[in-house]
Amino acid sequence: MTSLEHSVVVGVDGSAASTGAVAYAAHTAAKRGIPLIVVTSYSMPASLFAEGMVPPQPVYDELERECQPIIEQARATALDVAPDVQISHAVVEGNPSQVLIDYSRKAKMIVLGSRGLGGIKGMVLGSVSAAVASHAFCPVVVTREDTADLEKSGPVVVGVDGSEVSTKATEWAFVEAAARGTTLVAVHTWMDPQVQAAAAGIALSEQEWQELEKQQLGVLSERLAGFSERYPDVTVERFVTRDRAVRALVSKSEGAQLVVVGSHGRGGFAGMVLGSTSRAMLQAAPCPVMVVRPEPHD
């Protein structure tokens, strides 16, 4: 099997959303000169066998055969986008979320559609994409049918707030911009001081606003300095605003190839496990979203 450590893994189920994810994943793998692994899963029907019974091998074989059209469709899509990309595949028994999380332990990147893979019709963010983005051990790119435009030549956008996970997301954003040969737009927002000042009965002058913005731009430049030295070919545009993070990122993501966000989300499958910004971006971003998390703990 293809080495996972240097592979893009895409989860598929034959839906339109996963077909778009395959195209995006193939394009991404080809840009990096690394293999693509197409993964689908199936579940053993619990009603067919009593608890504790081991189904006979022919049952597994038949379920795997039923997955082959999905694999073949995905391979055709990938080769149409990137004829020279190296492709392998895997058909795995198990919950699709957990299967992809297991693959994320060694993969370079996971790509999946925002719906499909068992998601609930009508939801913008499906249960599987939310679970994988929340718990994966590597970056996860979530695409929607209306965002995965492979012809876009726009920038990579990243939100920068100075946290540890934001620093990790910034590094990935530089990697993506370098691989795509495009500009990086770094967006830094801060808590709205106008509201705080008004609450304290203080009116800030325009000069004071400009000074505050200058200070924040200096903070952003400091957070980017090391990465700019490591990726000298990446042109960086710095954007500082008093706007809320999600609104600023959505605005700057218009026409972008990718937006990268860090997520502080934690917890089990039942709870709200993505951070508020990352979850909102998965819902609202006009381009694919890469979610970068802190190092997970089992």
Side-chain angles (χ1 to χ4, degrees):
M1 183 178 173
T2 301
S3 172
L4 273 175
E5 285 79 358
H6 302 289
S7 299
V8 175
V9 173
V10 59
V12 300
D13 67 352
S15 67
S18 77
T19 298
V22 170
Y24 187 88
H27 180 74
T28 298
K31 283 286 187 181
R32 287 152 189 72
I34 61 176
L36 173 69
I37 303 178
V38 176
V39 177
T40 193
S41 65
Y42 64 89
S43 298
M44 184 64 63
S47 60
L48 296 183
F49 301 95
E51 185 176 354
M53 286 184 61
V54 178
Q57 186 60 42
V59 175
Y60 288 99
D61 294 341
E62 178 59 27
L63 289 170
E64 287 198 18
R65 277 194 295 271
E66 291 177 359
C67 292
Q68 287 309 307
I70 295 173
I71 295 295
E72 292 306 317
Q73 176 190 338
R75 289 180 64 89
T77 298
L79 291 173
D80 185 54
V81 170
D84 298 325
V85 73
Q86 179 185 340
I87 306 175
S88 62
H89 72 270
V91 179
V92 185
E93 182 198 8
N95 176 281
S97 300
Q98 192 58 56
V99 166
L100 290 170
I101 291 168
D102 289 343
Y103 267 86
S104 77
R105 293 176 182 274
K106 293 186 177 180
K108 187 175 187 67
M109 182 188 307
I110 299 287
V111 180
L112 68 165
S114 60
R115 289 188 291 183
L117 293 165
I120 301 172
K121 185 176 181 181
M123 290 183 66
V124 176
L125 184 63
S127 57
V128 173
S129 51
V132 177
S134 298
H135 296 277
F137 289 75
C138 70
V140 175
V141 176
V142 178
T143 70
R144 296 202 313 268
E145 294 173 60
D146 59 340
T147 64
D149 182 356
L150 302 182
E151 300 303 318
K152 281 185 178 179
S153 58
V156 171
V157 177
V158 63
V160 181
D161 67 10
S163 65
E164 181 180 351
V165 70
S166 173
T167 299
K168 187 176 177 182
T170 302
E171 180 173 15
W172 269 98
F174 270 93
V175 169
E176 289 299 305
R180 297 161 188 269
T182 193
T183 300
L184 175 65
V185 176
V187 178
H188 172 61
T189 65
W190 69 93
M191 294 300 292
D192 191 350
Q194 189 171 21
V195 174
Q196 300 172 6
I202 301 172
L204 296 180
S205 67
E206 183 61 30
Q207 182 177 354
E208 289 172 319
W209 278 120
Q210 291 176 359
E211 182 61 31
L212 180 57
E213 184 168 320
K214 183 179 178 181
Q215 292 173 2
Q216 294 297 323
L217 189 58
V219 170
L220 177 59
S221 295
E222 289 176 7
R223 291 167 180 169
L224 297 174
F227 296 115
S228 293
E229 292 172 5
R230 289 163 55 187
Y231 300 92
D233 294 334
V234 175
T235 300
V236 181
E237 295 180 4
R238 297 165 176 81
F239 181 74
V240 172
T241 179
R242 300 193 296 266
D243 204 350
R244 297 188 180 278
V246 172
R247 189 160 54 188
L249 286 170
V250 168
S251 174
K252 287 299 179 180
S253 298
E254 291 288 348
Q257 298 184 45
L258 180 72
V259 59
V260 184
V261 293
S263 176
H264 301 271
R266 290 179 173 82
F269 287 103
M272 176 69 80
V273 290
L274 283 173
S276 58
T277 298
S278 54
R279 189 174 185 90
M281 289 305 297
L282 286 170
Q283 299 277 9
C287 66
V289 178
M290 174 183 280
V291 178
V292 179
R293 297 187 58 249
E295 294 299 328
H297 301 284
D298 291 321

